[in-house]
Amino acid sequence: MSMVENKHFHHPPFQIAMEGFSFTLPPDWEVGGYELNDPLHSGILSFTEIGTAMGQFSWRKVKDIPDIPRIIEEIHRRWLVSDVTPNIRFTRYGKDGKVVLAHTKMNERFYAAVFNRKMMFLCEWIFPKYSKENAERVVPMLESFSENDPDKDTGRTNFSLFGLEVSIPAGYHFLELTPYPAAVTMDFENIKHYKISVHRFGMADVYMQGADTANFYHRCLYARKYAIKDVKTIPPVNGCEAAEILYQARGKFGFDFLLGPWWCGFGSAFLKSSENRVYAFEHLASRFFKERETLKNIFRKKLSGKG
């Protein structure tokens, strides 16, 4: 599991959202580790609070409707190294009471779980020490759980990790998460290998080193070995200093990476001075892609704070 070094800052509760689930963490909880090698089948997120482990959330694709109480009882029995079925009390929360919270004995591990039938995901939380106070603290998180279905009008799906929240068009799936010190990047890809990358750079004054947004963004993409065609400052967007960039890279479909035509990329960056952060996105596709303006509008609204 990849680990992330966290320094403590008071912040609004973080939203966690992937294909198949969404929920809000308790105040001051953060993602401290993750395993996202194949998130359409399984994954793990671990949570910390000021450096203290607070629990773990995992999901896995299953073939049949699971018997959640029986699964939790078996997991806890094995943790206790006992042949006796443990005495566990279950309560239900969330929409239609789908989220099951397992109350164990004082200072023992305790659990919660929910089944997403559309995705066939069994989602499970494990918390380190049971007490009435700890159980009450996680209830709002369980109540906030949703299956994160695509928007009925737009077809877009929300993703949120490490404070970066994006709305991704239909057909694109999560590919990779790359957290840097004070920054994070999420990559998405569709069946044609067209790619969307979304970034959040914290401590913008440190990262930018006195440069304007256009110059900083040019350096970021040049470091990715893209062939930069044009970069320019554009009028502010929702109060954010903004820049646009056009670039090229080799196609990513099979041998196109070595032999194929150059694909066309475009992107935008937005400096939110109030947060001291830069938000940016890029899209890389073949020259036949015709929805550039649609994507521009989607990400311009979301990343600049409107939409």
Side-chain angles (χ1 to χ4, degrees):
M1 179 181 292
S2 302
M3 302 304 294
V4 180
E5 182 180 352
N6 285 319
K7 293 185 178 180
H8 181 64
F9 301 93
H10 290 289
H11 52 73
F14 280 130
Q15 184 76 12
I16 302 295
M18 296 279 287
E19 288 177 271
F21 58 84
S22 173
F23 56 89
T24 303
L25 292 178
D28 291 330
W29 283 30
E30 300 174 303
V31 176
Y34 64 93
E35 187 174 302
L36 297 171
N37 297 326
D38 188 10
L40 287 178
H41 291 87
S42 64
I44 300 174
L45 300 171
S46 63
F47 307 123
T48 63
E49 180 185 38
I50 319 179
T52 301
M54 300 305 295
Q56 175 181 288
F57 175 78
S58 64
W59 66 99
R60 53 192 170 98
K61 188 175 285 289
V62 296
K63 295 181 179 179
D64 300 305
I65 299 175
D67 183 343
I68 289 178
R70 186 195 63 78
I71 291 173
I72 290 176
E73 287 175 350
E74 179 62 17
I75 291 173
H76 195 55
R77 184 189 67 78
R78 294 183 182 184
W79 181 78
L80 293 171
V81 193
S82 171
D83 294 329
V84 180
T85 301
N87 184 20
I88 299 177
R89 180 171 60 89
F90 295 98
T91 55
R92 293 182 174 270
Y93 297 94
K95 185 178 180 181
D96 301 324
K98 290 183 177 180
V99 185
V100 177
L101 176 62
H103 302 259
T104 57
K105 293 182 180 180
M106 185 69 67
N107 293 326
E108 291 182 353
R109 292 199 323 186
F110 68 109
Y111 313 84
V114 61
F115 176 59
N116 179 339
R117 189 163 186 169
K118 294 178 184 177
M119 297 284 293
M120 293 301 289
F121 277 175
L122 175 59
C123 304
E124 302 167 285
W125 291 265
I126 299 177
F127 307 108
K129 288 187 177 182
Y130 179 78
S131 68
K132 182 179 179 182
E133 292 76 15
N134 286 342
E136 290 175 348
R137 191 176 185 196
V138 303
V139 165
M141 176 173 62
L142 306 183
E143 291 278 13
S144 71
F145 180 89
S146 79
E147 296 182 349
N148 198 27
D149 295 325
D151 185 272
K152 293 181 179 179
D153 296 324
T154 66
R156 301 199 297 265
T157 300
N158 292 323
F159 289 81
S160 181
L161 287 171
F162 291 97
L164 176 57
E165 300 182 9
V166 293
S167 181
I168 300 299
Y172 287 83
H173 298 285
F174 180 88
L175 180 65
E176 186 178 16
L177 171 75
T178 310
Y180 303 98
V184 62
T185 292
M186 283 195 281
D187 294 314
F188 304 85
E189 194 173 72
N190 71 4
I191 194 171
K192 296 182 178 179
H193 299 276
Y194 295 176
K195 188 175 181 181
I196 293 173
S197 297
V198 191
H199 317 272
R200 187 186 79 157
F201 300 94
M203 301 192 305
D205 53 343
V206 176
Y207 268 102
M208 297 175 75
Q209 299 179 359
D212 62 15
T213 304
N215 185 281
F216 167 72
Y217 197 32
H218 181 281
R219 295 203 314 260
C220 289
L221 295 196
Y222 184 79
R224 290 190 165 201
K225 303 186 185 303
Y226 291 151
I228 309 300
K229 305 299 290 182
D230 184 40
V231 59
K232 61 183 179 181
T233 299
I234 61 174
V237 177
N238 297 320
C240 299
E241 182 180 294
E244 286 187 348
I245 199 164
L246 297 176
Y247 63 95
Q248 288 184 326
R250 286 292 187 186
K252 303 297 181 181
F253 183 71
F255 284 104
D256 284 356
F257 181 75
L258 298 175
L259 306 174
W262 287 88
W263 280 11
C264 301
F266 66 92
S268 299
F270 311 94
L271 171 61
K272 272 192 180 181
S273 300
S274 60
E275 298 182 14
N276 194 27
R277 294 190 178 107
V278 173
Y279 294 86
F281 85 94
E282 299 94 49
H283 184 268
L284 181 65
S286 78
R287 63 184 184 275
F288 302 109
F289 182 75
K290 298 180 179 180
E291 299 179 15
R292 175 178 298 183
E293 292 303 318
T294 300
L295 281 181
K296 275 186 181 181
N297 291 333
I298 291 173
F299 288 100
R300 175 178 290 186
K301 291 178 181 178
K302 187 69 176 179
L303 297 181
S304 66
K306 301 289 184 181

